[in-house]
Amino acid sequence: MNNYSSPVLPPATIGIIGGGQLGQMMALSAKAMGYKVGVLDPTDQAPAGQVADFQIVAAYDDLTALKRLAEKSDVLTYEFENVDQNALKQVENLTSIPQGIELLTITSHRLREKTFCRQHGLPVTPFASVQSMAGLETAIQKIGQPGLLKTVEGGYDGHGQFDINDQTDWNVIESEIDQTEWIYELKQNFVRELSVMVTRDGKDQVITFPVSENRHQHHILHTSIIPAQTTDAVKHKAQQIAINTAEALHLRGVLGIELFELPSGELMINELAPRPHNSGHYSIEACNISQFDAHIRSICGLAIPPIRQFEPAVMVNLLGDNLLAARADWPAHPEWHLHDYGKAEVRERRKMGHITVTGPSIEALLLSVSQFR
């Protein structure tokens, strides 16, 4: 790992494992700063590959390809958490991996992630490991119902997740429960979902972004409102949790922290994302430093100034055909900051782009993108 005795400066090369939209926006930030960018992704002309200096087209677990990327890069980073950790360990001696591998080990496995949080005094819902129907019954007796049964690895946007409200739900998962390891979590009655991006710069200063309020549809983030429409006390508490988490992880790069706000004002961590997060996209237009700028600065050992939000913002995801509608309507909405990820195939519920709007009135901003709600 880079100890930042001296920062990594342009025109050094930053290698990104993953070529999706997060990698694309990382690459755009890095290029604006003067860095060279390489990408590893199995899809030719992936979104990040379209704006990078080079793309290696290969599977993420292709060790030969990963070694090529590492050898050509001064710094290696990743845009998603399900990176092959064994392959990454084999290229540690070829390049700098400032985020390290332990961060992936923790955040790519829900049981390890929740256990880490609990061990470090970070608030999480009661949970238990489950590997059989008998284990699920024991977990329910210990924790209670309703709950959520989730695979410990993989799964996103609601995949690999089952609601457990009563015994009738057991029939749905009985045929699958022996296939993998699970975590059972007590479902919380929350009033809103929040998130906050946090990073640590080359001078070891922990820096947080404004708190976002997130609204989901079909388990997929749909709309983010920034700043969150909650109390200053709750926002301060969310940022303090983010600082505590970053310090516990010895964080480099940007970490996204999803939280539930309970009716009491108490907060609980839902998930950690070891990279920029969808709900932080607003920062490109609304802040002095975007989450992607912060990520690049952090992994290269540069200083990051305090984050300032210029004015309120709303971000809406464009899923599937919503991108086509947004393209068609864009001429009538000069206030839209439209981001089109350049994905080759439009698919239902696939993140194809996003729109950010900024201005003094949250109500007016929500109205501006109301056709996508």
Side-chain angles (χ1 to χ4, degrees), residues 315-328:
M315 187 282 300
V316 62
N317 268 329
L318 298 172
L319 306 179
D321 289 342
N322 278 344
L323 174 64
L324 307 181
R327 287 174 180 168

Side-chain angles (χ1 to χ4, degrees), residues 6 84 107 144 231 255 266 277 340 371:
S6 60
D84 188 312
T107 58
T231 65
L255 178 79
E266 182 184 0
H277 191 266
D340 184 333
Q371 69 191 87

Side-chain angles (χ1 to χ4, degrees), residues 28-338:
L28 288 169
S29 283
K31 291 295 293 176
M33 297 178 200
Y35 292 98
K36 304 296 184 185
V37 176
V39 171
L40 172 65
D41 193 278
T43 302
D44 189 27
Q45 284 293 294
Q50 295 169 25
V51 300
D53 292 278
F54 65 90
Q55 179 184 341
I56 298 171
V57 180
Y60 300 125
D61 60 355
D62 184 326
L63 184 56
T64 300
L66 186 59
K67 284 182 176 178
R68 280 178 57 207
L69 180 65
E71 289 168 348
K72 297 179 72 170
S73 302
D74 298 284
V75 175
L76 202 60
T77 187
Y78 37 79
E79 68 141 17
F80 62 98
E81 45 268 56
N82 296 316
V83 176
D84 188 312
Q85 294 160 39
N86 291 325
L88 204 56
K89 287 175 183 176
Q90 295 186 58
V91 301
E92 277 185 297
N93 62 329
L94 300 177
T95 188
S96 170
I97 309 176
Q99 293 157 276
I101 298 171
E102 185 180 12
L103 179 63
L104 284 175
T105 302
I106 293 167
T107 58
S108 65
H109 190 281
R110 290 187 174 96
L111 186 60
R112 283 197 291 266
E113 180 177 280
K114 287 290 195 298
T115 301
F116 174 88
C117 289
R118 186 165 63 187
Q119 288 173 342
H120 289 83
L122 301 168
V124 290
T125 191
F127 65 92
S129 174
V130 170
Q131 300 185 43
S132 64
M133 289 303 295
L136 175 60
E137 187 171 4
T138 300
I140 290 172
Q141 289 173 352
K142 178 182 177 182
I143 294 171
Q145 290 185 120
L148 290 168
L149 187 68
K150 303 176 182 178
T151 55
V152 295
E153 293 183 292
Y156 62 96
D157 293 342
H159 299 289
Q161 177 174 308
F162 297 92
D163 286 293
I164 306 295
N165 298 300
D166 52 46
Q167 194 154 351
T168 59
D169 294 320
W170 294 23
N171 300 329
V172 178
I173 50 91
E174 190 167 8
S175 61
E176 298 190 44
I177 202 160
D178 293 329
Q179 305 300 314
T180 187
E181 185 181 2
W182 304 80
I183 181 173
Y184 178 76
E185 302 175 359
L186 182 66
K187 187 182 289 186
Q188 294 292 333
N189 178 30
F190 57 89
V191 295
R192 60 179 60 85
E193 296 183 55
L194 306 173
S195 64
V196 59
M197 309 300 112
V198 62
T199 190
R200 192 162 62 110
D201 72 5
K203 296 184 176 181
D204 284 336
Q205 300 299 307
V206 175
I207 294 130
T208 59
F209 280 78
V211 179
S212 172
E213 177 179 341
N214 303 318
R215 299 175 182 177
H216 292 72
Q217 291 183 6
H218 308 293
H219 300 286
I220 303 172
L221 177 64
H222 186 273
T223 304
S224 291
I225 300 167
I226 312 94
Q229 297 180 304
T230 186
T231 65
D232 288 343
V234 167
K235 286 184 277 192
H236 176 76
K237 192 181 302 182
Q239 290 178 316
Q240 189 58 56
I241 288 171
I243 290 168
N244 295 344
T245 305
E247 290 176 341
L249 288 167
H250 308 290
L251 181 66
R252 293 295 179 197
V254 164
L255 178 79
I257 304 178
E258 297 179 7
L259 301 143
F260 293 141
E261 180 188 342
L262 307 187
S264 63
E266 182 184 0
L267 295 175
M268 287 191 172
I269 293 174
N270 179 35
E271 287 187 358
L272 305 178
R275 34 93 182 150
H277 191 266
N278 200 177
S279 63
H281 290 346
Y282 73 91
S283 60
I284 298 172
E285 285 82 26
C287 295
N288 60 320
I289 296 288
S290 77
Q291 64 167 343
F292 301 101
D293 295 338
H295 184 80
I296 298 301
R297 288 189 184 211
S298 177
I299 64 173
C300 291
L302 297 167
I304 301 173
I307 304 300
R308 292 181 290 109
Q309 184 176 354
F310 301 128
E311 57 185 353
V314 167
M315 187 282 300
V316 62
N317 268 329
L318 298 172
L319 306 179
D321 289 342
N322 278 344
L323 174 64
L324 307 181
R327 287 174 180 168
D329 292 347
W330 191 18
H333 289 276
E335 76 278 12
W336 288 359
H337 296 278
L338 174 62

